Amino acid sequence: VVKMVLDGDNCEGILINPFGPALFLPRQMLEPLSYVRPSSRIYLMEADITKVGADAIVNAANRTLLGGGGVDGAIHRAAGPELLAECRGLHGCNTGEAKVTGAYRLNADCIVHTVGPIYSGSREDAKLLEQCYKNSMDAAWECNCQTVAFPSISTGAYGYPIDKAAKIALRTVQNWLWEHPDSFMDVYFCCFSKADLMEYQNALSYLPDIPPEAE
Ligand code: ADP
């Protein structure tokens, strides 16, 4: 709206709440506002993801999508049995892909279920883990989410070394945010222990400050 007023010649400003105690913002007041651009941010935190409020909560699920241990079990317990009922209708999910369900009793709009690779040491692992983060961001974006919480996918039962996985997670999400400059997403990386958080903090220092094409 601010841009529309400033781009046109015949608009004096914006009248907010014309039917109540109205506030008139003249053109001159709008100009500085047009320089303020919201931006996306990445946050690292030590947290139980089931207690974090976010529009989308990402689940490190398995290919059946029918629940399991670790963060998957915790999300199913916190969301309630309706989640399992909805997941039954999804008929599983391939490694690297993502599927969306409702969030039920979780403090979120939706759950994005993605299946991380079981670590084997092959090159394919990194590609699949990257796909998990990319496809989860795409899914959250398609659901109009502006805050997304990730667990550390594949670094529990699936055995991915967390130092390597954290670098892939941060780099992939940062690239996604750069590729979607109008998305204005806040992304929370929820680490389940102080040691995991330290790994993510360390991985953060390897991230480039500017997008590759700007170099
Ligand atoms: P995967 O099978 O993908 O390895 P896991 O659930 O075994 O998934 O582990 C993934 C990560 O999630 C691990 O770092 C684990 O410590 C962490 N985790 C487990 N429970 C929670 C939780 N409630 N909130 C956030 N992270 C969790």
Side-chain angles (χ1 to χ4, degrees):
V1 171
V2 169
K3 194 173 171 335
M4 231 169 69
V5 172
L6 293 175
D7 285 352
D9 287 334
N10 49 7
C11 203
E12 295 297 320
I14 300 175
L15 186 60
I16 296 174
N17 194 15
F19 304 111
L23 172 69
F24 181 67
L25 297 173
R27 282 182 82 95
Q28 304 89 286
M29 272 178 79
L30 297 176
E31 231 141 78
L33 276 184
S34 68
Y35 306 129
V36 181
R37 276 178 65 81
S39 59
S40 296
R41 287 204 177 87
I42 290 176
Y43 297 86
L44 308 183
M45 55 184 75
E46 186 188 345
D48 176 343
I49 201 166
T50 63
K51 305 270 175 8
V52 170
D55 296 342
I57 287 184
V58 179
N59 181 18
N62 59 48
R63 287 163 60 103
T64 68
L65 294 188
L66 299 179
V71 71
D72 193 9
I75 285 176
H76 273 270
R77 277 193 300 279
E82 298 90 344
L83 176 60
L84 181 59
E86 186 179 352
C87 283
R88 282 190 210 286
L90 296 178
H91 308 294
C93 180
N94 289 328
T95 306
E97 292 179 3
K99 290 191 177 178
V100 178
T101 65
Y104 302 98
R105 277 165 239 169
L106 279 184
N107 186 15
D109 291 340
C110 64
I111 301 173
V112 178
H113 304 263
T114 188
V115 183
I118 298 172
Y119 188 69
S120 68
S122 80
R123 263 185 211 185
E124 197 64 10
D125 296 338
K127 250 188 260 164
L128 288 168
L129 190 59
E130 200 177 301
Q131 286 301 309
C132 286
Y133 285 98
K134 193 180 163 305
N135 287 328
S136 298
M137 289 299 289
D138 283 342
W141 174 233
E142 276 158 28
C143 296
N144 296 317
C145 295
Q146 291 196 308
T147 47
V148 187
F150 278 101
S152 183
I153 300 166
S154 280
T155 64
Y158 282 3
Y160 214 118
I162 192 158
D163 56 329
K164 293 190 173 70
K167 285 184 189 131
I168 294 169
L170 292 173
R171 193 189 60 223
T172 307
V173 167
Q174 189 185 46
N175 283 339
W176 191 97
L177 294 172
W178 276 336
E179 285 161 17
H180 299 76
D182 294 327
S183 62
F184 312 129
M185 296 258 239
D186 281 343
V187 181
Y188 310 140
F189 285 98
C190 301
C191 303
F192 206 41
S193 67
K194 207 155 247 109
D196 285 1
L197 177 62
M198 281 167 69
E199 293 289 355
Y200 270 74
Q201 281 166 341
N202 181 48
L204 200 62
S205 62
Y206 288 85
L207 279 186
D209 295 331
I210 48 168
E213 68 272 19
E215 282 174 311

